[in-house]
């Protein structure tokens, strides 16, 4: 499955809590370059950054990477990666597109690789990731999105719902959703053509649009949740993590 995968990292400068976030310095490089490095280390295929302006694209090209500049007014990361895909690959060489968020500089490259595993089943339209929740406070935290699914194996769920609520009810594991997606190209094309759905707008979770449209999402269970960088404090935590990793 990985031989025709393309990793696309959407990145935009606008951020209310951390201005110019993709260009924030992180262990000697802009944060977007650190995310690009993790994607390259995953080794699943070419990596492309979908930037909303020339500053981000220049930073990636200076590091030896590939970037395209997309319309800054696109409404979502999914729309940005689709626009980048159309521009970069009109010949349709890539049948799988991995959407890696540009604020995950500490993601384990093995997790990026793991996102492709569910697509070995031709019935799966979209694959994503989750990790078991181990911290009790995360079970009730609305900022922690929970993946609710039917177990297919010890490491895989078929997604039934995603929610900010504590779910499912009762004894057992809860799963922290990780916002990385591996799309079949046809699934991405269908997804971005759909209007926002009722549950998507209510929960503010884009992936519910796909489920409401009857698309199949499978969830690969990984060991750790990467740190999403949204604040200056997160940036300091990411520096500490990358520095520790560099000493291993």
């Amino acid at each position: 499955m990985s031989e025709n995968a393309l990793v696309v990292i959407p990145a935009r400068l606008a951020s209310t809590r951390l201005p110019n976030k993709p260009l924030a310095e992180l262990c000697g490089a802009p944060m977007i370059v650190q995310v690009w490095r993790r994607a390259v280390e995953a080794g699943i295929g070419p990596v492309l950054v979908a930037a909303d302006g020339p500053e981000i694209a220049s930073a990636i090209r200076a590091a030896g990477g590939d970037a395209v500049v997309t319309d800054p007014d696109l409404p979502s990361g999914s729309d940005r990666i689709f626009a980048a895909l159309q521009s970069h690959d009109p010949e349709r060489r890539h049948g799988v597109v991995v959407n890696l968020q540009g604020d995950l500089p500490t993601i384990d490259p093995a997790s990026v690789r793991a996102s492709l595993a569910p697509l070995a089943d031709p019935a799966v339209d979209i694959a994503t990731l989750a990790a078991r929740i181990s911290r009790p406070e995360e079970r009730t935290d609305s900022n922690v999105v929970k993946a609710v699914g039917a177990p297919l194996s010890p490491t895989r769920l078929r997604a039934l719902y995603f929610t900010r609520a504590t779910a499912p009810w009762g004894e057992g594991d809860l799963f922290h959703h990780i916002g990385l997606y591996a799309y079949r190209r046809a699934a991405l094309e269908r997804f971005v053509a759909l209007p926002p759905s009722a549950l998507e707008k209510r929960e503010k979770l884009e992936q519910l649009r796909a489920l409401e449209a009857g698309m199949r999402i499978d969830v690969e269970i990984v060991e750790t949740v990467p740190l999403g960088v949204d604040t200056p404090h997160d940036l300091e935590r990411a520096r500490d993590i990358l520095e520790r990793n560099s000493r291993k």
Side-chain angles (χ1 to χ4, degrees), residues 45-62:
V47 180
L48 178 69
V49 171
D52 72 342
E55 300 92 342
I56 295 171
S58 295
I60 288 295
R61 290 168 184 154

Side-chain angles (χ1 to χ4, degrees), residues 9 22-23 26-38 40-41 47 49 54-67:
I9 306 171
L23 301 180
L26 190 56
C27 297
M31 183 168 69
I32 189 62
V33 171
Q34 293 288 7
V35 179
W36 169 79
R37 288 174 179 170
R38 303 295 88 74
V40 171
E41 289 163 7
V47 180
V49 171
E55 300 92 342
I56 295 171
S58 295
I60 288 295
R61 290 168 184 154
D66 201 358

Side-chain angles (χ1 to χ4, degrees), residues 5-227:
L6 175 70
V7 182
V8 185
I9 306 171
R12 53 194 293 270
L13 283 178
S15 172
T16 54
R17 291 186 287 178
L18 188 60
N20 296 329
K21 180 167 71 171
L23 301 180
E25 191 278 331
L26 190 56
C27 297
M31 183 168 69
I32 189 62
V33 171
Q34 293 288 7
V35 179
W36 169 79
R37 288 174 179 170
R38 303 295 88 74
V40 171
E41 289 163 7
I44 60 173
V47 180
L48 178 69
V49 171
D52 72 342
E55 300 92 342
I56 295 171
S58 295
I60 288 295
R61 290 168 184 154
D66 201 358
V68 296
V69 177
T70 56
D71 184 345
D73 295 326
L74 289 170
S76 72
S78 299
D79 293 294
R80 198 169 304 286
I81 69 165
F82 182 63
L85 178 67
Q86 289 181 301
S87 170
H88 181 75
D89 184 32
E91 302 88 1
R92 304 181 68 85
R93 293 166 296 166
H94 298 287
V96 172
V97 184
V98 177
N99 178 356
L100 172 59
Q101 292 181 20
D103 60 1
L104 299 177
T106 68
I107 192 164
D108 185 344
S111 293
V112 181
R113 289 193 293 273
S115 70
L116 293 178
L119 295 182
D121 182 343
V124 177
D125 297 300
I126 304 168
T128 189
L129 302 174
R132 285 180 176 82
I133 291 176
S134 57
R135 297 165 59 188
E137 64 271 22
E138 289 193 353
R139 297 173 73 91
T140 55
D141 186 345
S142 62
N143 293 313
V144 174
V145 176
K146 289 79 177 180
V148 181
L152 299 175
S153 77
T155 61
R156 192 167 303 165
L157 307 172
R158 177 172 180 175
L160 301 176
Y161 195 58
F162 296 87
T163 182
R164 298 181 184 278
T166 302
W169 183 83
E171 295 296 324
D173 290 325
L174 297 186
F175 292 94
H176 184 149
H177 179 236
I178 299 166
L180 183 157
Y181 300 92
Y183 294 88
R184 297 191 193 281
R185 187 172 184 141
L188 178 62
E189 291 170 344
R190 181 183 174 200
F191 177 80
V192 297
L194 293 168
S197 68
L199 287 170
E200 171 189 359
K201 290 187 283 188
R202 180 168 176 171
E203 291 257 23
K204 296 182 171 57
L205 296 174
E206 193 179 45
Q207 64 271 36
L208 292 176
R209 186 191 317 175
L211 287 182
E212 287 186 77
M215 301 173 77
R216 177 168 167 178
I217 304 177
D218 276 16
V219 182
E220 190 75 4
I221 299 167
V222 295
E223 293 299 317
T224 58
V225 177
L227 171 65

